[in-house]
Amino acid sequence: MMGKSYKVIEVFFSRKAINASEFKTVNLDKIDTDGLMYFKDLVDDEIFQSNLEKLEKLSSTTGCQGELDLEMFLTSNDYVLNAENSSGSSANFGCSKRVFETLASPTKTIKNMLAAPSSPSSPANGGSIKIVQMTPVTSAMTTAKWLRDVISSLPDKPSSKLEEFLSSCDTDLTSDVVKRVSIILEAIFPTKSIDRGTSIGLNCANAFDIPWAEARKMEASKLYYRVLEAICRAESQNNNVNNLTPLLSNERFHRCLIACSAELVLATHKTVIMMFPAVLESTGLTAFDLSKIIENFVRHEETLPRELKRHLNSLEEQLLESMSWEKGSSLYNSLVVARPSLSTEINSLGLLAEPMPSLDGIVARQSIHPDGLPPTPSKRRPSAGPDGNCYPQSPKRLCTESRNSLVERNSQTPPPKQSQTGLSILKAKYHPLQATFASPTVSNPVSGNEKCAVVGVQIFFSKILKLAAIRIRNLCERLRHEELTVSVYNIFKQILDQQTALFFNRHVDQIILCCLYGVAKVSQLSLTFKEIVNNYKREPQCKPEVFRSIFVGSTNRNGGFGSRHVDIIVFYNQVFVPTVKPLLVALMPSSTRPEDKRNTNSISSILFSQFKPANSPLNSSYN
């Protein structure tokens, strides 16, 4: 492409390409000119505008359509170009000036590239939008510059304002906060020799260069203190109080904030040795725990580069789509309080989360010797809730650590049920952050007649619905069946509300695929699973295990219990349809709906996939 570019420039501008290594000019100082060509006077101030106007005229003609798309550089929208405008009028003078200034300024260029849409492959774009993606090098430079210029210059201890908040609590929590961050970050970035056989953090200090690890610990702690202070300021203003004891004494809140800070430092340095969710394992948190701090973190760190915001958005999607539904997630500890009817199945599957390890436990497992540091933060044993009940217990062990409810703030999709839900969530959006980390059994400070778990689960579900709505729309557009979007979303929403157990140990996309196929069947469309899966494979979040390996229960083999997984068609026939059949039948027009009692076979012939169990659907066509 460089060779072709040289020839185009030589012909169009009547400028001879000169070997840059043979041409001495101040513009080439400190530049490795090996293999580069130089065009004399091409962009000098006195002739730049005339040359740019030539390019604008050329870009407006059809004779310039080819491998070099000049409008990618001349359009007033720096990174997006509609194909339907690609042969339209040329850019105006002001636009050209802005483009020149942008190209001449590395800072502006990076800022504009960061603003590019994050989903270029979305079918909503119809393939008609061209996007200049940020390169890995540019991304690394931008995030590293933020870490170096904004974070590294901060003090390595709580600021005077943060100390004021910490000392204004019922007891001075400053030493507790300093001690905690030291222990947790040492677990994430080990710098001391530890015993072999430990299973936390990176397992060995030599996995990191010790000076490097110390620098990363320092960066993460500075970021943690900065965001913690911003949160304290916001909470204090919202409540008109300086005493934030319920929030600042909450162990899980601090660990989530530290884990998020460490994850951003790891992402900035592109550390492949420790990939997410290793941070969760090191801190003793679950995916559901971390999900409730991400939005608050982004909101209170206004300088966060867009690329790191995207990273957190990607993590949040992973937490919503599958990780929060995995066995051992603290989501289930909230569900047994918010939805008691689900407790039997949750207990039978052993889904409840284990107690969060204490700081002493982390110190012991990591063989940390924090000499000279303040004593380990005081721990209060969980007491019975206001109703006299203790926290939910695991069927295998006593869960002495309180589980958190999820209170996410960015809910735009209405909650699934209950007339007061919308008002509750609207209020929950503004009540103190401390309610987010309260035990599921604690009464909601906004509405005392419900538990925190109820609002937490409702808001979590609303975020699931928002994610599902986007994915359903994209998939329906890929399949060119946009008319199914609303029906598929409504079925998904009803399942989440009325048949929540269908999500246990599964991926949200598995339910979406089955909803789409079921709606297509009752709509009498000739849409096969093969078509659905093939189009799903083009989605950026697609993983083969989503449609190849779906949990359907536990089996007892050779004296031990194990999980049984099947493909998407077997799951649809054996689990999904028997569970969701009434909801799907309700979608059928009354004039064509068979009577359940008289035409059961007719209903089955409509709903079930015509799949022969003897044939693997993954090796044959999807019916």
Side-chain angles (χ1 to χ4, degrees), residues 88-257:
S89 59
S90 61
N92 58 37
F93 175 81
C95 159
S96 303
K97 183 178 180 181
R98 288 195 304 272
V99 172
F100 171 68
E101 290 175 348
T102 299
L103 294 175
S105 170
T107 303
K108 291 182 179 179
T109 302
I110 290 174
K111 181 179 179 181
N112 288 332
M113 294 176 74
L114 279 172
S118 59
S119 302
S121 59
S122 172
N125 297 335
S128 63
I129 294 180
K130 301 176 183 178
I131 297 173
V132 179
Q133 289 286 359
M134 168 169 279
T135 66
V137 173
T138 308
S139 170
M141 289 174 60
T142 305
T143 55
K145 185 177 187 300
W146 167 78
L147 202 59
R148 180 178 63 253
D149 295 349
V150 177
I151 304 304
S152 295
S153 59
L154 298 172
D156 58 357
K157 60 182 180 180
S159 66
S160 58
K161 183 61 178 178
L162 179 56
E163 284 187 342
E164 180 183 332
F165 284 117
L166 295 173
S167 61
S168 298
C169 295
D170 295 345
T171 59
D172 190 343
L173 299 176
T174 305
S175 61
D176 285 2
V177 167
V178 173
K179 174 71 173 181
R180 180 188 296 106
V181 74
S182 175
I183 292 175
I184 298 299
L185 289 180
E186 176 64 25
I188 299 173
F189 303 101
T191 58
K192 301 177 178 63
S193 298
I194 59 178
D195 299 333
R196 300 184 65 179
T198 56
S199 58
I200 193 170
L202 294 176
N203 298 334
C204 56
N206 60 9
F208 280 137
D209 178 64
I210 291 180
W212 187 93
E214 289 286 2
R216 303 295 78 79
K217 287 171 60 177
M218 187 64 67
E219 291 168 346
S221 64
K222 291 178 178 180
L223 179 57
Y224 160 73
Y225 289 137
R226 175 184 174 92
V227 178
L228 178 60
E229 179 182 341
I231 289 176
C232 288
R233 288 178 182 270
E235 291 293 303
S236 177
Q237 292 174 3
N238 292 339
N239 302 304
N240 295 319
V241 294
N242 284 332
N243 190 336
L244 302 175
T245 300
L247 177 65
L248 294 179
S249 61
N250 190 293
E251 179 70 22
R252 197 172 301 271
F253 163 72
H254 287 288
R255 291 200 197 183
C256 288
L257 205 56

Side-chain angles (χ1 to χ4, degrees), residues 496-541:
L496 183 63
D497 177 38
Q498 303 173 26
Q499 301 292 342
T500 311
L502 207 56
F503 288 80
F504 293 177
N505 265 334
R506 299 188 178 109
H507 195 291
V508 164
D509 287 357
Q510 293 167 345
I511 310 302
I512 290 176
L513 295 176
C514 289
C515 287
L516 179 54
Y517 182 73
V519 171
K521 293 286 283 185
V522 298
S523 301
Q524 299 183 0
L525 298 177
S526 58
L527 188 61
T528 66
F529 254 127
K530 182 176 182 179
E531 293 176 82
I532 294 174
V533 170
N534 284 342
N535 280 275
Y536 174 72
K537 289 178 181 178
R538 298 165 60 189
E539 291 293 316
Q541 79 276 4

